[in-house]
Amino acid sequence: MTEALQFAGVYVQNTGYIPVEPWRMLSYAFVHNPFSISSPLSILHIAFNMYSLYIFGRVLEPMIGRWRFLVLYLLSAIGGAVAIDLLTSGMSAVIGASGAIFGLMAATFVIVRKLGGNMSQLVVLVILNLAIGFLVPGISWQAHVGGLVVGALVGVIFMETRQRRQQWLQVGLTAGLFALLIAVTVIRAFV
């Protein structure tokens, strides 16, 4: 079942051999198969993702609201997919929520720092988890980096346009970021 939802660059690259299935840029972030990764840390990886979603969800959702949280999660997942497309061979298939989770961490960092909070412990957590992604086979560091970058950008958009009179600017900038991610993917598909 997870094979039908996994993401690899080949699903958006218009090769002519494999059908273009852009929904996989999102679906991969909602599934995980503990037996598909050849690492004994697979179950821990799933547990970390779910625990992180719980922790950052409890912090972020009350701060930014349900809909902004959803937008942040989805855009971070798409950012992870774009990074996978750009930084891996087209056949490197991935599943899991890590890209979106890293986006939540980056947005938390940006938002809490902008509000004057200390995020040094979060920086250590991100560095350790990025290192794990580079060192442990079967974990997509590319999705981590893509989610991190997009999550930080969404956090900046949310913080710089948080006044009620800037609501449409926030929607426009967020939609613009989504359009940019899709444009990068489309350009990559035809280059």
Side-chain angles (χ1 to χ4, degrees), residues 99-137:
I101 300 296
F102 269 78
L104 298 180
M105 287 192 266
T108 300
F109 176 83
V110 168
I111 291 168
V112 173
R113 286 291 298 156
K114 182 73 174 177
L115 297 173
N118 181 352
M119 287 280 91
S120 56
Q121 291 179 357
L122 181 57
V123 171
V124 171
L125 180 68
V126 168
I127 290 170
L128 287 174
N129 282 287
L130 276 174
I132 289 169
F134 282 104
L135 300 174
V136 176

mmCIF file of all heavy atoms in Angstrom, residues 99-137:
data_model
loop_
_atom_site.group_PDB
_atom_site.id
_atom_site.type_symbol
_atom_site.label_atom_id
_atom_site.label_comp_id
_atom_site.label_asym_id
_atom_site.label_seq_id
_atom_site.Cartn_x
_atom_site.Cartn_y
_atom_site.Cartn_z
ATOM 1 N N GLY A 99 10.070 15.449 6.617
ATOM 2 C CA GLY A 99 10.190 16.775 6.000
ATOM 3 C C GLY A 99 9.227 17.759 6.621
ATOM 4 O O GLY A 99 9.592 18.891 6.949
ATOM 5 N N ALA A 100 7.987 17.333 6.812
ATOM 6 C CA ALA A 100 6.989 18.209 7.432
ATOM 7 C C ALA A 100 7.346 18.500 8.884
ATOM 8 O O ALA A 100 7.184 19.633 9.352
ATOM 9 C CB ALA A 100 5.611 17.569 7.335
ATOM 10 N N ILE A 101 7.846 17.501 9.595
ATOM 11 C CA ILE A 101 8.247 17.688 11.000
ATOM 12 C C ILE A 101 9.380 18.705 11.096
ATOM 13 O O ILE A 101 9.366 19.583 11.963
ATOM 14 C CB ILE A 101 8.664 16.346 11.641
ATOM 15 C CG1 ILE A 101 7.523 15.331 11.613
ATOM 16 C CG2 ILE A 101 9.217 16.549 13.037
ATOM 17 C CD1 ILE A 101 6.309 15.693 12.409
ATOM 18 N N PHE A 102 10.354 18.603 10.205
ATOM 19 C CA PHE A 102 11.438 19.584 10.211
ATOM 20 C C PHE A 102 10.915 20.979 9.901
ATOM 21 O O PHE A 102 11.425 21.970 10.416
ATOM 22 C CB PHE A 102 12.552 19.174 9.240
ATOM 23 C CG PHE A 102 13.624 18.346 9.887
ATOM 24 C CD1 PHE A 102 13.416 17.005 10.143
ATOM 25 C CD2 PHE A 102 14.826 18.908 10.263
ATOM 26 C CE1 PHE A 102 14.378 16.230 10.748
ATOM 27 C CE2 PHE A 102 15.810 18.150 10.880
ATOM 28 C CZ PHE A 102 15.579 16.803 11.118
ATOM 29 N N GLY A 103 9.890 21.068 9.055
ATOM 30 C CA GLY A 103 9.263 22.361 8.801
ATOM 31 C C GLY A 103 8.622 22.932 10.050
ATOM 32 O O GLY A 103 8.709 24.139 10.311
ATOM 33 N N LEU A 104 7.978 22.078 10.840
ATOM 34 C CA LEU A 104 7.386 22.532 12.102
ATOM 35 C C LEU A 104 8.466 23.039 13.050
ATOM 36 O O LEU A 104 8.293 24.059 13.730
ATOM 37 C CB LEU A 104 6.600 21.399 12.769
ATOM 38 C CG LEU A 104 5.407 20.834 12.007
ATOM 39 C CD1 LEU A 104 4.754 19.721 12.822
ATOM 40 C CD2 LEU A 104 4.402 21.910 11.652
ATOM 41 N N MET A 105 9.595 22.325 13.108
ATOM 42 C CA MET A 105 10.701 22.761 13.980
ATOM 43 C C MET A 105 11.237 24.115 13.538
ATOM 44 O O MET A 105 11.472 24.995 14.371
ATOM 45 C CB MET A 105 11.816 21.713 13.983
ATOM 46 C CG MET A 105 11.479 20.463 14.748
ATOM 47 S SD MET A 105 12.910 19.393 15.023
ATOM 48 C CE MET A 105 12.778 18.303 13.635
ATOM 49 N N ALA A 106 11.427 24.282 12.225
ATOM 50 C CA ALA A 106 11.958 25.549 11.724
ATOM 51 C C ALA A 106 10.993 26.699 11.988
ATOM 52 O O ALA A 106 11.416 27.785 12.414
ATOM 53 C CB ALA A 106 12.247 25.438 10.231
ATOM 54 N N ALA A 107 9.719 26.464 11.765
ATOM 55 C CA ALA A 107 8.730 27.520 12.021
ATOM 56 C C ALA A 107 8.669 27.859 13.497
ATOM 57 O O ALA A 107 8.555 29.035 13.868
ATOM 58 C CB ALA A 107 7.357 27.083 11.513
ATOM 59 N N THR A 108 8.743 26.847 14.350
ATOM 60 C CA THR A 108 8.762 27.101 15.796
ATOM 61 C C THR A 108 9.948 27.978 16.150
ATOM 62 O O THR A 108 9.810 28.954 16.902
ATOM 63 C CB THR A 108 8.825 25.773 16.588
ATOM 64 O OG1 THR A 108 7.675 24.990 16.264
ATOM 65 C CG2 THR A 108 8.875 26.024 18.081
ATOM 66 N N PHE A 109 11.105 27.647 15.612
ATOM 67 C CA PHE A 109 12.301 28.443 15.873
ATOM 68 C C PHE A 109 12.082 29.893 15.464
ATOM 69 O O PHE A 109 12.308 30.821 16.247
ATOM 70 C CB PHE A 109 13.513 27.866 15.135
ATOM 71 C CG PHE A 109 14.746 28.698 15.288
ATOM 72 C CD1 PHE A 109 15.542 28.572 16.410
ATOM 73 C CD2 PHE A 109 15.101 29.625 14.327
ATOM 74 C CE1 PHE A 109 16.675 29.360 16.574
ATOM 75 C CE2 PHE A 109 16.226 30.415 14.470
ATOM 76 C CZ PHE A 109 17.018 30.282 15.600
ATOM 77 N N VAL A 110 11.624 30.113 14.238
ATOM 78 C CA VAL A 110 11.433 31.472 13.721
ATOM 79 C C VAL A 110 10.415 32.238 14.557
ATOM 80 O O VAL A 110 10.646 33.385 14.953
ATOM 81 C CB VAL A 110 11.002 31.427 12.235
ATOM 82 C CG1 VAL A 110 10.510 32.781 11.761
ATOM 83 C CG2 VAL A 110 12.136 30.925 11.362
ATOM 84 N N ILE A 111 9.287 31.611 14.837
ATOM 85 C CA ILE A 111 8.204 32.294 15.548
ATOM 86 C C ILE A 111 8.595 32.613 16.983
ATOM 87 O O ILE A 111 8.417 33.746 17.451
ATOM 88 C CB ILE A 111 6.912 31.452 15.477
ATOM 89 C CG1 ILE A 111 6.387 31.447 14.036
ATOM 90 C CG2 ILE A 111 5.858 31.978 16.442
ATOM 91 C CD1 ILE A 111 5.293 30.424 13.759
ATOM 92 N N VAL A 112 9.139 31.646 17.689
ATOM 93 C CA VAL A 112 9.491 31.872 19.096
ATOM 94 C C VAL A 112 10.643 32.868 19.210
ATOM 95 O O VAL A 112 10.638 33.728 20.097
ATOM 96 C CB VAL A 112 9.798 30.538 19.814
ATOM 97 C CG1 VAL A 112 10.338 30.763 21.219
ATOM 98 C CG2 VAL A 112 8.541 29.662 19.858
ATOM 99 N N ARG A 113 11.624 32.800 18.313
ATOM 100 C CA ARG A 113 12.725 33.786 18.335
ATOM 101 C C ARG A 113 12.189 35.191 18.071
ATOM 102 O O ARG A 113 12.596 36.149 18.710
ATOM 103 C CB ARG A 113 13.785 33.437 17.282
ATOM 104 C CG ARG A 113 14.636 32.269 17.643
ATOM 105 C CD ARG A 113 15.569 32.514 18.786
ATOM 106 N NE ARG A 113 16.500 33.557 18.441
ATOM 107 C CZ ARG A 113 17.142 34.325 19.322
ATOM 108 N NH1 ARG A 113 16.963 34.149 20.603
ATOM 109 N NH2 ARG A 113 17.973 35.243 18.931
ATOM 110 N N LYS A 114 11.265 35.317 17.125
ATOM 111 C CA LYS A 114 10.685 36.628 16.809
ATOM 112 C C LYS A 114 9.928 37.195 18.010
ATOM 113 O O LYS A 114 9.892 38.404 18.216
ATOM 114 C CB LYS A 114 9.753 36.497 15.591
ATOM 115 C CG LYS A 114 9.144 37.779 15.136
ATOM 116 C CD LYS A 114 10.137 38.670 14.455
ATOM 117 C CE LYS A 114 9.441 39.882 13.883
ATOM 118 N NZ LYS A 114 10.345 40.827 13.281
ATOM 119 N N LEU A 115 9.362 36.294 18.809
ATOM 120 C CA LEU A 115 8.643 36.721 20.014
ATOM 121 C C LEU A 115 9.569 36.892 21.223
ATOM 122 O O LEU A 115 9.101 37.194 22.315
ATOM 123 C CB LEU A 115 7.518 35.724 20.339
ATOM 124 C CG LEU A 115 6.425 35.617 19.280
ATOM 125 C CD1 LEU A 115 5.453 34.490 19.626
ATOM 126 C CD2 LEU A 115 5.686 36.943 19.138
ATOM 127 N N GLY A 116 10.872 36.685 21.025
ATOM 128 C CA GLY A 116 11.845 36.921 22.084
ATOM 129 C C GLY A 116 12.245 35.699 22.889
ATOM 130 O O GLY A 116 12.955 35.815 23.887
ATOM 131 N N GLY A 117 11.832 34.514 22.473
ATOM 132 C CA GLY A 117 12.152 33.296 23.210
ATOM 133 C C GLY A 117 13.529 32.748 22.867
ATOM 134 O O GLY A 117 14.133 33.104 21.864
ATOM 135 N N ASN A 118 14.007 31.863 23.713
ATOM 136 C CA ASN A 118 15.297 31.212 23.534
ATOM 137 C C ASN A 118 15.065 29.842 22.898
ATOM 138 O O ASN A 118 14.363 29.012 23.447
ATOM 139 C CB ASN A 118 16.006 31.061 24.882
ATOM 140 C CG ASN A 118 17.366 30.410 24.748
ATOM 141 O OD1 ASN A 118 17.747 29.925 23.694
ATOM 142 N ND2 ASN A 118 18.101 30.395 25.841
ATOM 143 N N MET A 119 15.684 29.613 21.774
ATOM 144 C CA MET A 119 15.492 28.358 21.043
ATOM 145 C C MET A 119 16.780 27.567 20.900
ATOM 146 O O MET A 119 16.904 26.740 20.009
ATOM 147 C CB MET A 119 14.919 28.654 19.657
ATOM 148 C CG MET A 119 13.464 29.081 19.666
ATOM 149 S SD MET A 119 12.345 27.676 19.810
ATOM 150 C CE MET A 119 12.112 27.508 21.547
ATOM 151 N N SER A 120 17.742 27.752 21.787
ATOM 152 C CA SER A 120 19.023 27.060 21.656
ATOM 153 C C SER A 120 18.866 25.543 21.753
ATOM 154 O O SER A 120 19.557 24.797 21.064
ATOM 155 C CB SER A 120 20.025 27.568 22.685
ATOM 156 O OG SER A 120 19.503 27.435 23.990
ATOM 157 N N GLN A 121 17.955 25.060 22.586
ATOM 158 C CA GLN A 121 17.747 23.613 22.683
ATOM 159 C C GLN A 121 17.168 23.051 21.395
ATOM 160 O O GLN A 121 17.501 21.939 20.987
ATOM 161 C CB GLN A 121 16.842 23.279 23.863
ATOM 162 C CG GLN A 121 17.499 23.536 25.198
ATOM 163 C CD GLN A 121 16.570 23.222 26.359
ATOM 164 O OE1 GLN A 121 15.417 22.865 26.174
ATOM 165 N NE2 GLN A 121 17.089 23.355 27.561
ATOM 166 N N LEU A 122 16.311 23.805 20.742
ATOM 167 C CA LEU A 122 15.739 23.355 19.478
ATOM 168 C C LEU A 122 16.814 23.284 18.401
ATOM 169 O O LEU A 122 16.815 22.361 17.575
ATOM 170 C CB LEU A 122 14.596 24.272 19.033
ATOM 171 C CG LEU A 122 13.902 23.886 17.726
ATOM 172 C CD1 LEU A 122 13.339 22.472 17.790
ATOM 173 C CD2 LEU A 122 12.810 24.885 17.401
ATOM 174 N N VAL A 123 17.740 24.222 18.400
ATOM 175 C CA VAL A 123 18.837 24.200 17.437
ATOM 176 C C VAL A 123 19.647 22.911 17.608
ATOM 177 O O VAL A 123 19.987 22.247 16.624
ATOM 178 C CB VAL A 123 19.736 25.450 17.573
ATOM 179 C CG1 VAL A 123 20.993 25.320 16.738
ATOM 180 C CG2 VAL A 123 18.962 26.699 17.195
ATOM 181 N N VAL A 124 19.934 22.540 18.845
ATOM 182 C CA VAL A 124 20.671 21.298 19.115
ATOM 183 C C VAL A 124 19.872 20.102 18.601
ATOM 184 O O VAL A 124 20.416 19.205 17.953
ATOM 185 C CB VAL A 124 20.979 21.157 20.627
ATOM 186 C CG1 VAL A 124 21.547 19.781 20.944
ATOM 187 C CG2 VAL A 124 21.935 22.259 21.075
ATOM 188 N N LEU A 125 18.567 20.084 18.855
ATOM 189 C CA LEU A 125 17.708 18.996 18.391
ATOM 190 C C LEU A 125 17.727 18.891 16.872
ATOM 191 O O LEU A 125 17.841 17.789 16.312
ATOM 192 C CB LEU A 125 16.274 19.217 18.890
ATOM 193 C CG LEU A 125 15.244 18.183 18.490
ATOM 194 C CD1 LEU A 125 15.528 16.856 19.172
ATOM 195 C CD2 LEU A 125 13.845 18.680 18.836
ATOM 196 N N VAL A 126 17.639 20.011 16.183
ATOM 197 C CA VAL A 126 17.650 20.003 14.719
ATOM 198 C C VAL A 126 18.994 19.499 14.201
ATOM 199 O O VAL A 126 19.046 18.665 13.286
ATOM 200 C CB VAL A 126 17.318 21.407 14.153
ATOM 201 C CG1 VAL A 126 17.609 21.484 12.660
ATOM 202 C CG2 VAL A 126 15.865 21.754 14.430
ATOM 203 N N ILE A 127 20.083 19.982 14.776
ATOM 204 C CA ILE A 127 21.414 19.549 14.329
ATOM 205 C C ILE A 127 21.589 18.048 14.538
ATOM 206 O O ILE A 127 22.072 17.343 13.640
ATOM 207 C CB ILE A 127 22.518 20.353 15.049
ATOM 208 C CG1 ILE A 127 22.515 21.797 14.541
ATOM 209 C CG2 ILE A 127 23.886 19.715 14.841
ATOM 210 C CD1 ILE A 127 23.384 22.750 15.334
ATOM 211 N N LEU A 128 21.192 17.550 15.695
ATOM 212 C CA LEU A 128 21.306 16.104 15.950
ATOM 213 C C LEU A 128 20.478 15.305 14.958
ATOM 214 O O LEU A 128 20.937 14.280 14.432
ATOM 215 C CB LEU A 128 20.878 15.780 17.379
ATOM 216 C CG LEU A 128 21.830 16.192 18.489
ATOM 217 C CD1 LEU A 128 21.204 15.939 19.860
ATOM 218 C CD2 LEU A 128 23.148 15.444 18.366
ATOM 219 N N ASN A 129 19.270 15.740 14.691
ATOM 220 C CA ASN A 129 18.411 14.999 13.774
ATOM 221 C C ASN A 129 18.858 15.127 12.326
ATOM 222 O O ASN A 129 18.688 14.189 11.545
ATOM 223 C CB ASN A 129 16.949 15.410 13.954
ATOM 224 C CG ASN A 129 16.383 14.746 15.175
ATOM 225 O OD1 ASN A 129 16.125 13.552 15.167
ATOM 226 N ND2 ASN A 129 16.225 15.504 16.239
ATOM 227 N N LEU A 130 19.422 16.252 11.954
ATOM 228 C CA LEU A 130 20.002 16.355 10.619
ATOM 229 C C LEU A 130 21.177 15.393 10.484
ATOM 230 O O LEU A 130 21.315 14.709 9.470
ATOM 231 C CB LEU A 130 20.467 17.784 10.337
ATOM 232 C CG LEU A 130 19.424 18.763 9.826
ATOM 233 C CD1 LEU A 130 20.012 20.170 9.733
ATOM 234 C CD2 LEU A 130 18.850 18.337 8.494
ATOM 235 N N ALA A 131 22.009 15.320 11.526
ATOM 236 C CA ALA A 131 23.146 14.399 11.506
ATOM 237 C C ALA A 131 22.676 12.955 11.369
ATOM 238 O O ALA A 131 23.244 12.178 10.596
ATOM 239 C CB ALA A 131 23.994 14.568 12.773
ATOM 240 N N ILE A 132 21.635 12.595 12.089
ATOM 241 C CA ILE A 132 21.093 11.239 11.981
ATOM 242 C C ILE A 132 20.660 10.963 10.538
ATOM 243 O O ILE A 132 20.915 9.888 9.997
ATOM 244 C CB ILE A 132 19.920 11.031 12.969
ATOM 245 C CG1 ILE A 132 20.461 10.985 14.398
ATOM 246 C CG2 ILE A 132 19.133 9.763 12.649
ATOM 247 C CD1 ILE A 132 19.384 11.042 15.465
ATOM 248 N N GLY A 133 20.021 11.940 9.905
ATOM 249 C CA GLY A 133 19.602 11.780 8.522
ATOM 250 C C GLY A 133 20.752 11.551 7.569
ATOM 251 O O GLY A 133 20.622 10.839 6.577
ATOM 252 N N PHE A 134 21.909 12.149 7.853
ATOM 253 C CA PHE A 134 23.084 11.958 7.007
ATOM 254 C C PHE A 134 23.794 10.648 7.307
ATOM 255 O O PHE A 134 24.431 10.068 6.441
ATOM 256 C CB PHE A 134 24.072 13.121 7.186
ATOM 257 C CG PHE A 134 23.667 14.364 6.454
ATOM 258 C CD1 PHE A 134 23.131 15.431 7.140
ATOM 259 C CD2 PHE A 134 23.826 14.476 5.084
ATOM 260 C CE1 PHE A 134 22.755 16.591 6.473
ATOM 261 C CE2 PHE A 134 23.457 15.620 4.407
ATOM 262 C CZ PHE A 134 22.918 16.680 5.108
ATOM 263 N N LEU A 135 23.707 10.172 8.552
ATOM 264 C CA LEU A 135 24.484 9.004 8.973
ATOM 265 C C LEU A 135 23.733 7.682 8.894
ATOM 266 O O LEU A 135 24.350 6.642 8.698
ATOM 267 C CB LEU A 135 24.999 9.218 10.408
ATOM 268 C CG LEU A 135 25.911 10.427 10.603
ATOM 269 C CD1 LEU A 135 26.233 10.627 12.072
ATOM 270 C CD2 LEU A 135 27.182 10.268 9.784
ATOM 271 N N VAL A 136 22.425 7.698 9.071
ATOM 272 C CA VAL A 136 21.651 6.461 9.100
ATOM 273 C C VAL A 136 21.061 6.209 7.719
ATOM 274 O O VAL A 136 20.319 7.046 7.203
ATOM 275 C CB VAL A 136 20.527 6.537 10.168
ATOM 276 C CG1 VAL A 136 19.663 5.287 10.129
ATOM 277 C CG2 VAL A 136 21.124 6.744 11.551
ATOM 278 N N PRO A 137 21.370 5.066 7.128
ATOM 279 C CA PRO A 137 20.792 4.766 5.813
ATOM 280 C C PRO A 137 19.277 4.631 5.900
ATOM 281 O O PRO A 137 18.738 4.195 6.908
ATOM 282 C CB PRO A 137 21.416 3.412 5.444
ATOM 283 C CG PRO A 137 22.397 3.069 6.498
ATOM 284 C CD PRO A 137 22.227 4.019 7.639
#
